[in-house]
Amino acid sequence: MDPVSRDLDSENRDSRPRKDSTADLQTHMGDMQITRGGDMLMDDYDVGDEKSDVAEITPDSSTDEPQDPLAHDFEGMKARMLPLLPDLEPESESIYTWDIENYRSLTRKERSPKFDCGGHPWRILLFPFGNNVDHASLYLEQAHGDEDKPPDNWYACAQFTLCMWNKNEPTIYMCHTANHRFTAEESDWGFTRFSELRKMFAQQWEGTGRAMVENDAVSVTAYIRIYKDPTGVLWHNFINYNSKKETGMVGLRNQGATCYLNSLLQSLYFTNAFRKAIYQIPTENDTEKKNSAWALQRLFYLLQTSEDAVSTQELTASFGWETKHIFEQQDVQELSRILMERMEERMKGTKAENALAKMLVGKMKTYISCINVDYESSRIEDFWDIQLNVSGNKSLDDSFKDYIQVETMDGENKYFAEGYGLQDARKGVIFESFPQVLHLQLKRFEYDINRDAMMKVNDRYEFPEVFDAAPYLSEGADKSEPYLYQLHGVLVHSGDLTAGHYYAFLKPTVDGHFYRFDDDKVTRATLKEALEENFGGDYANMVNGHAGFRNPYTRTLSTKRSMSAYMLVYIRKSREKDILLDVAEQETPTHLAKQLNEERAALEKKRKDREEQHLYLPISVVTEDAFKAYQGFDLTNWESDPNAPSTPQTYRVLRASTVGDFTKTVAESLRLPAEQIRLWVMVNRQNKTTRPDQPLADLDMTISQAYSTHSTRDKPFRLWAETMTNVGDSKPSWPNMNPVPGIAPLVLIFLKYFNVEDQTLRGAGHIYMKRTSKVAEVIPAIQQLMGWSPSKDQALMSSTSSSSIPSTSNSAVSSPSIQLFEEIKQSMIEPLKPKSTLQQAEIQDGDIICFQKALSEKVNLTIASTGGYTDAREFYDYLLNRIVIRFVPKIATEQEESTFSLALSRKMSYDQYSAKVAEHLKVDPTHLRFSTVLSSTGKAKQPVRRSQGLTLAQTLMPALATYANSNQRPDTLFYEILEMSISELETKRNIRIQWLPEGVVKEEPADVLAPKNGIVEDLVPPLQLKFNLSDEAAGKLRFYEVHGYKITKYLNINSLLANISDYSTLFAELIPEEEDHADDNDRAIDAFHFDKETSKPHGVPFRFVVKPGELFKDTKERLSKRTGIKGKQFEKLRFAVVQRSLYSRPTYLNDEDDLSTIAIHADDQLGLDHVNRTRLFAGKGDSIFIR
């Protein structure tokens, strides 16, 4: 094999690209394969899908074109196959030819001798019989070996062509071209399916009469050009890319569709003066998730100090956003304005007050100046940003000229100047000052009247790196300081209205470079990438017949760029150093670093705990105090609030430690000697209760052994800590639970006390009794435990704990003042028979006996009258059906106490839970009305009907659930305090009326309560009161029903309200004066609005007077007055006569027509044809907000 190598001097390159030098990229994308690590074989795959933004491949066979250069014409072949790439600067070039002999005798993998390009060794890698395919596989490989390792972080951006050719017949050749970023990890790149083996060895290569591999020999030439990498990411695959390491900056993680938010936040963050002002907001004492200022401070601090991309979840949570807001792209300008308003509010009264206004607010003057008299009306307003038209303008200057263009008011549009009457005038806007930081919103999204939809404007629109704003200032503006602005940021949208992506190009320092901030990735960018590539418009150098480039978000082909700037940030050159000042970490709020360090330490502890989790066992322990504080079933609630005193304490215990060691740990937490603590294993019974079963007597047993012996695998290990108090100086002695011959065994019983007067059920302690004892013998033990005397009043004295076996007396046993029940399970509370033994009553270790004092009938009646319970079984039933309901005022108030929660029973009737709420609010329960809550929106549904047979559970969770009633919250109700009782309200009907004060352009809704059997006249007084109508005006009210945006019925004052359909809209208006004073020859016609087709009505229909003999151009003037639609909006209307039939065709009217001669049928209507603007936003989500 005879290598022929040639290095080309970069000064003597042929830089003339040819039109036919590049073939279609997509055609042979699948030909490219890579092998990694030298000897590693790669499976066949489609590189176009895997890495299409990295590799460009151009296969070509020139045997069909005799005019093409021959394979041994290396300069000609280089110019033909390796044209210079635009906007990139070559660094070095090489051409190397490898002559291969004895092709059929080659091994599975062969490498050429090394050759040099760009100061680094290269070679050709050949799989002569295919890399697991039936094609010869050919690659370019960087040839740094183990002894000659490449420098750290070495890479080379190479454009290369590999050509296989017949050295005896140079017209026979095949070439493939690609671009690749060679690194130590990706050391080779090329073509797995370079050439089909069958064709290579065929007697004729594509009809030439000779073979590609002839006489078992072939030549391979490599053409390589190394390019300089101005951004450091040319053809980068971004695997293991570290933004912080490469650029010193980090990005923001995308939560779903928050790229628009990320681009805005990065822009604000790198406006360093803005960041410093945010840091100055005092948030030390207000560190909670709903504080947006604190969340923004934390975000900025993390961007400044973090090594990895930062999450925006805390910030969006502080805004009050839910998941649906995270996945909706919103308007950046609206978000920016709301964010500024919130930060301004937080800065009031602090040293940062007015900092944002001084930085971001300019002033503009809106004026109307008379031409012939000395009169001007003007108003100066602040602006935070400027919205500029893109459509119809070619550059930023054009948009500003369009913004301040002067409109002449003359003819019928003259201006009425006070003291001068109607005058010719000029109307316009002019700027008085521009802010230090100028935010320009480019209106890339506009309504297209031809397509009847919102569309993105992708027209070419140029903006400069340096912008002079002085020409757009008023003559009297202060121009002592130049109004030259330096481009600081370009916020870009790529895609169209329905699908796209946002990112930003920002220049963080005065003399630095632009960087691209694309969510979590930050890369260096060129000036062209930041400016020219975001002008929009057509792609450059488009070849005739080219279908265009594919939009990555819509997957459609287009000849226009889908990426274009939608927001520009300029900084006044004279203030750049003030705005882009350094913000040192020492200037950040100290509490932020402290909080984050604590959080990181907590996370590190959690991580360590997870790693050591197998060494530890979590154990939950119920104590005497927790049992006494608990109100509910069983001994405790294992899933209650961790801070509640009744919640079991959880310990993280080494599995290798002993029961004795853990007993000491529990004793220390209870501040008792270990000898006074005995641990019991708790087991799950079949009736779904958890009770102590046996004590852990072997203190030398390990925790792991105890768990495996006494607990079920994958179930929590639960213990009860028995305590012994008042032992004095003697050594504690625990009752022996082991059976002793001749002695009746003991049973451990837990006692609960139902206090009827306080309506509480809490643990009282535990006792030991002999199994042969009578149930009645428990009563003296209770009296001793509670400190009650049988001969005295049954008043509660004190609560003590005892583990001793009480003595009994006949007088105590016969005491009838205490009632006993056994708590078997939640739904089974049974009374105990006093004469039965504990063994006959099936009382075993861990069972619970509930007791209550028997009160007089008078006391019981008093308690029951207030909704209380006098029997323990009733109270248990209440606990079983207890539910905590949150009550929220239907009409929002600023008083926090207006929202509250109550524990109620699911079995309560409307009147019962209404009484409880009324007691809390201190109002009359008959004046309360409740509404269920939609779970999806949090809004009120229909009011709850007052029915004695309807329980609270049925109201919140209907048994026969439909979509309408299943989509409601089971734990919340809205409440209203009415001016009348529910009974009186049930005799009335709520009627929603749409009041029309000014034609049809404005609607004001009014809800009126009227008698169900009333008439329309009953609606007049409430409307008169609500809208301050005079008696004369009230007498001229007209009511009409509308269905499907058309008038269906006119109502007189005696019309029954019961006849008004629930599916119609009721409108009310004052009868117009022209209708009230109409001539005998005049007649009225119904009018409605439609959008192109009469089957698409919209808007508010109305009644209009038709005058005989009137030209329609005069009729339109009256129509404008009648509807309240004026100016350009009225000029867009088209008018037609339409028959009431749904599918009738409209007869459009001209100015010279006479409406009275065209609308001659009784069912004729006047139609106003114009765009239904409410439809344009019907699919849009809720408006963006910040809490």
Side-chain angles (χ1 to χ4, degrees), residues 236-487:
H236 206 301
N237 61 13
F238 293 103
I239 297 174
N240 299 322
Y241 179 78
N242 188 319
S243 294
K244 185 77 170 185
K245 178 182 177 182
E246 301 296 335
T247 67
M249 295 165 284
V250 297
L252 293 167
R253 290 199 288 272
N254 193 331
Q255 295 186 53
T258 56
C259 49
Y260 72 98
L261 173 66
N262 291 349
S263 62
L264 176 64
L265 290 173
Q266 291 282 22
S267 169
L268 296 175
Y269 171 79
F270 284 106
T271 307
N272 296 357
F274 179 89
R275 189 197 330 168
K276 191 170 184 178
I278 295 298
Y279 282 154
Q280 291 174 342
I281 301 175
T283 58
E284 298 89 337
N285 302 319
D286 197 13
T287 55
E288 53 184 19
K289 289 188 175 180
K290 65 180 182 181
N291 180 353
S292 53
W294 173 75
L296 188 58
Q297 283 183 346
R298 279 173 62 94
L299 181 75
F300 281 179
Y301 180 80
L302 287 170
L303 282 173
Q304 190 168 337
T305 60
S306 179
E307 296 295 320
D308 301 306
V310 178
S311 171
T312 57
Q313 286 184 340
E314 280 186 349
L315 184 66
T316 54
S318 74
F319 292 169
W321 292 3
E322 300 174 358
T323 303
K324 64 176 183 178
H325 302 112
I326 298 302
F327 287 93
E328 286 180 357
Q329 287 190 349
Q330 300 287 354
D331 182 62
V332 174
Q333 181 190 20
E334 186 181 2
L335 172 63
S336 176
R337 287 184 177 179
I338 297 174
L339 183 61
M340 296 302 170
E341 288 174 6
R342 294 294 178 270
M343 295 304 106
E344 279 275 282
E345 290 171 7
R346 295 306 306 269
M347 289 178 178
K348 288 179 179 177
T350 72
K351 61 181 180 180
E353 186 170 5
N354 295 324
L356 300 187
K358 292 176 182 177
M359 188 191 321
L360 298 164
V361 173
K363 293 185 181 296
M364 68 170 66
K365 181 174 76 171
T366 305
Y367 66 88
I368 300 177
S369 178
C370 293
I371 297 173
N372 301 317
V373 297
D374 186 15
Y375 182 89
E376 181 179 283
S377 172
S378 64
R379 181 177 69 254
I380 295 180
E381 298 174 308
D382 291 344
F383 68 85
W384 288 81
D385 52 37
I386 305 172
Q387 287 193 69
L388 298 174
N389 288 324
V390 172
S391 183
N393 297 305
K394 295 183 178 180
S395 67
L396 190 62
D397 281 302
D398 288 348
S399 289
F400 267 95
K401 291 173 185 176
D402 175 61
Y403 197 94
I404 65 169
Q405 70 175 338
V406 178
E407 175 188 353
T408 301
M409 304 175 68
D410 56 10
E412 295 182 358
N413 196 30
K414 286 185 178 182
Y415 173 68
F416 182 83
E418 189 175 349
Y420 296 95
L422 292 174
Q423 295 288 330
D424 292 342
R426 296 185 180 92
K427 178 182 178 182
V429 173
I430 195 70
F431 293 97
E432 294 295 324
S433 67
F434 289 103
Q436 300 176 43
V437 180
L438 182 60
H439 283 179
L440 302 178
Q441 305 285 347
L442 306 183
K443 295 167 71 173
R444 283 284 181 184
F445 299 98
E446 286 188 350
Y447 172 72
D448 187 330
I449 193 168
N450 295 320
R451 299 184 183 180
D452 188 19
M454 293 293 291
M455 300 293 292
K456 183 180 178 184
V457 180
N458 279 321
D459 298 345
R460 183 175 176 85
Y461 181 87
E462 299 181 6
F463 48 89
E465 186 179 5
V466 177
F467 170 62
D468 185 3
Y472 312 109
L473 290 166
S474 68
E475 293 181 1
D478 180 9
K479 301 179 183 178
S480 57
E481 186 178 335
Y483 276 92
L484 288 176
Y485 282 83
Q486 178 72 43
L487 184 65

Side-chain angles (χ1 to χ4, degrees), residues 27 33 98 231 431 455 611 620 641 694 737 887 925 1025 1079:
T27 305
Q33 271 291 340
W98 179 24
T231 62
F431 293 97
M455 300 293 292
E611 291 179 354
S620 298
D641 181 3
Q694 59 180 301
M737 303 304 295
F887 291 92
L1025 180 64
D1079 297 336

Side-chain angles (χ1 to χ4, degrees), residues 830-1072:
E830 300 290 342
L832 291 169
K833 298 177 181 179
K835 294 183 180 180
S836 300
T837 65
L838 295 176
Q839 191 166 0
Q840 290 171 336
E842 298 182 354
I843 300 296
Q844 59 183 338
D845 287 331
D847 281 355
I848 298 173
I849 292 179
C850 172
F851 63 92
Q852 73 174 83
K853 291 190 293 184
L855 303 178
S856 66
E857 185 177 352
K858 181 178 179 181
V859 174
N860 285 340
L861 288 173
T862 303
I863 294 172
S865 66
T866 60
Y869 303 93
T870 58
D871 188 280
R873 288 166 292 185
E874 294 177 350
F875 192 77
Y876 269 106
D877 184 70
Y878 157 71
L879 293 180
L880 181 62
N881 292 284
R882 179 175 56 179
I883 182 174
V884 177
I885 303 297
R886 183 169 174 260
F887 291 92
V888 182
K890 193 171 183 178
I891 301 174
T893 65
E894 295 183 357
Q895 299 176 350
E896 293 185 6
E897 60 272 14
S898 61
T899 298
F900 56 92
S901 297
L902 293 178
L904 304 172
S905 171
R906 290 182 176 86
K907 294 184 176 181
M908 281 184 169
S909 66
Y910 186 101
D911 288 344
Q912 287 175 325
Y913 66 77
S914 179
K916 289 288 186 182
V917 176
E919 181 183 352
H920 178 88
L921 294 172
K922 298 180 174 57
V923 298
D924 188 343
T926 63
H927 285 57
L928 281 175
R929 183 168 68 170
F930 303 96
S931 303
T932 52
V933 183
L934 275 167
S935 57
S936 57
T937 63
K939 296 180 180 179
K941 297 178 69 176
Q942 291 295 323
V944 177
R945 293 182 62 86
R946 180 174 172 266
S947 172
Q948 289 300 324
L950 191 67
T951 64
L952 179 60
Q954 292 168 336
T955 300
L956 293 171
M957 294 165 284
L960 299 175
T962 63
Y963 178 78
N965 57 28
S966 63
N967 184 27
Q968 65 185 40
R969 293 193 58 171
D971 59 353
T972 306
L973 286 173
F974 281 114
Y975 70 88
E976 302 170 83
I977 304 174
L978 305 176
E979 296 179 357
M980 62 185 74
S981 68
I982 292 290
S983 300
E984 183 182 356
L985 182 65
E986 288 174 348
T987 66
K988 297 184 179 297
R989 176 186 179 186
N990 182 67
I991 298 179
R992 168 65 64 91
I993 300 173
Q994 298 293 338
W995 168 246
L996 302 174
E998 303 171 7
V1000 298
V1001 295
K1002 184 178 180 182
E1003 298 177 55
E1004 295 184 24
D1007 289 309
V1008 175
L1009 277 176
K1012 289 183 177 179
N1013 57 356
I1015 58 177
V1016 171
E1017 190 176 13
D1018 296 327
L1019 303 177
V1020 175
L1023 282 181
Q1024 184 177 0
L1025 180 64
K1026 181 174 179 64
F1027 298 113
N1028 297 320
L1029 302 178
S1030 65
D1031 292 339
E1032 181 183 0
K1036 295 182 179 181
L1037 283 175
R1038 173 165 62 199
F1039 297 86
Y1040 59 93
E1041 280 188 72
V1042 171
H1043 181 72
Y1045 301 103
K1046 294 182 181 180
I1047 297 173
T1048 56
K1049 187 195 301 182
Y1050 291 96
L1051 307 176
N1052 61 50
I1053 59 173
N1054 295 317
S1055 298
L1056 294 175
L1057 297 179
N1059 292 336
I1060 298 177
S1061 171
D1062 292 333
Y1063 302 100
S1064 296
T1065 305
L1066 185 61
F1067 283 87
E1069 67 172 352
L1070 291 175
I1071 298 175

Side-chain angles (χ1 to χ4, degrees), residues 458 495-496 537-540 542 546-552 554-563:
N458 279 321
D496 64 9
D538 294 330
Y539 284 99
M542 289 286 291
H546 198 292
F549 291 87
R550 190 173 299 279
N551 186 318
T554 63
R555 311 302 299 165
T556 57
L557 293 171
S558 174
T559 59
K560 286 186 178 291
R561 295 179 183 271
S562 67
M563 68 290 287

Side-chain angles (χ1 to χ4, degrees), residues 24 70 78 117 296 605 728 800 844 862 949 959 967 1043 1052 1120:
D24 181 15
L70 301 179
K78 184 188 70 157
C117 183
L296 188 58
K605 183 178 182 301
T800 60
Q844 59 183 338
T862 303
N967 184 27
H1043 181 72
N1052 61 50
S1120 177

Side-chain angles (χ1 to χ4, degrees), residues 78-331:
K78 184 188 70 157
R80 168 73 174 82
M81 303 305 305
L82 208 67
L84 286 169
L85 297 177
D87 305 320
L88 292 177
E89 181 183 354
E91 184 176 330
S92 62
E93 295 178 349
S94 284
I95 300 175
Y96 173 78
T97 297
W98 179 24
D99 292 327
I100 304 172
E101 304 289 343
N102 302 318
Y103 193 97
R104 289 180 174 82
S105 301
L106 297 178
T107 61
R108 182 178 175 280
K109 178 166 50 176
E110 298 285 351
R111 287 185 171 89
S112 73
K114 295 181 182 179
F115 61 94
D116 183 87
C117 183
H120 298 285
W122 301 85
R123 61 190 171 197
I124 300 169
L125 173 62
L126 171 66
F127 288 80
F129 305 106
N131 186 2
N132 294 330
V133 292
D134 57 355
H135 288 60
S137 303
L138 202 57
Y139 307 92
L140 178 67
E141 181 182 54
Q142 62 92 359
H144 287 287
D146 294 335
E147 299 178 358
D148 182 23
K149 291 184 178 180
D152 292 340
N153 301 319
W154 174 86
Y155 69 91
C157 298
Q159 175 195 20
F160 66 93
T161 296
L162 296 178
C163 281
M164 181 179 287
W165 53 286
N166 184 328
K167 64 178 180 180
N168 298 317
E169 181 53 59
T171 60
I172 299 176
Y173 59 85
M174 170 174 276
C175 300
H176 289 310
T177 300
N179 307 327
H180 183 62
R181 184 187 187 90
F182 287 87
T183 64
E185 293 76 23
E186 287 192 345
S187 59
D188 47 49
W189 193 259
F191 317 98
T192 297
R193 298 177 181 271
F194 185 86
S195 181
E196 192 175 355
L197 292 170
R198 178 179 57 83
K199 290 185 178 181
M200 288 172 56
F201 291 99
Q203 292 298 318
Q204 292 195 26
W205 172 264
E206 296 185 356
T208 58
R210 302 181 69 167
M212 171 70 78
V213 180
E214 193 174 53
N215 300 325
D216 217 19
V218 73
S219 295
V220 176
T221 300
Y223 301 86
I224 307 178
R225 180 180 292 124
I226 307 296
Y227 284 97
K228 293 181 179 179
D229 183 8
T231 62
V233 291
L234 180 62
W235 304 328
H236 206 301
N237 61 13
F238 293 103
I239 297 174
N240 299 322
Y241 179 78
N242 188 319
S243 294
K244 185 77 170 185
K245 178 182 177 182
E246 301 296 335
T247 67
M249 295 165 284
V250 297
L252 293 167
R253 290 199 288 272
N254 193 331
Q255 295 186 53
T258 56
C259 49
Y260 72 98
L261 173 66
N262 291 349
S263 62
L264 176 64
L265 290 173
Q266 291 282 22
S267 169
L268 296 175
Y269 171 79
F270 284 106
T271 307
N272 296 357
F274 179 89
R275 189 197 330 168
K276 191 170 184 178
I278 295 298
Y279 282 154
Q280 291 174 342
I281 301 175
T283 58
E284 298 89 337
N285 302 319
D286 197 13
T287 55
E288 53 184 19
K289 289 188 175 180
K290 65 180 182 181
N291 180 353
S292 53
W294 173 75
L296 188 58
Q297 283 183 346
R298 279 173 62 94
L299 181 75
F300 281 179
Y301 180 80
L302 287 170
L303 282 173
Q304 190 168 337
T305 60
S306 179
E307 296 295 320
D308 301 306
V310 178
S311 171
T312 57
Q313 286 184 340
E314 280 186 349
L315 184 66
T316 54
S318 74
F319 292 169
W321 292 3
E322 300 174 358
T323 303
K324 64 176 183 178
H325 302 112
I326 298 302
F327 287 93
E328 286 180 357
Q329 287 190 349
Q330 300 287 354
D331 182 62

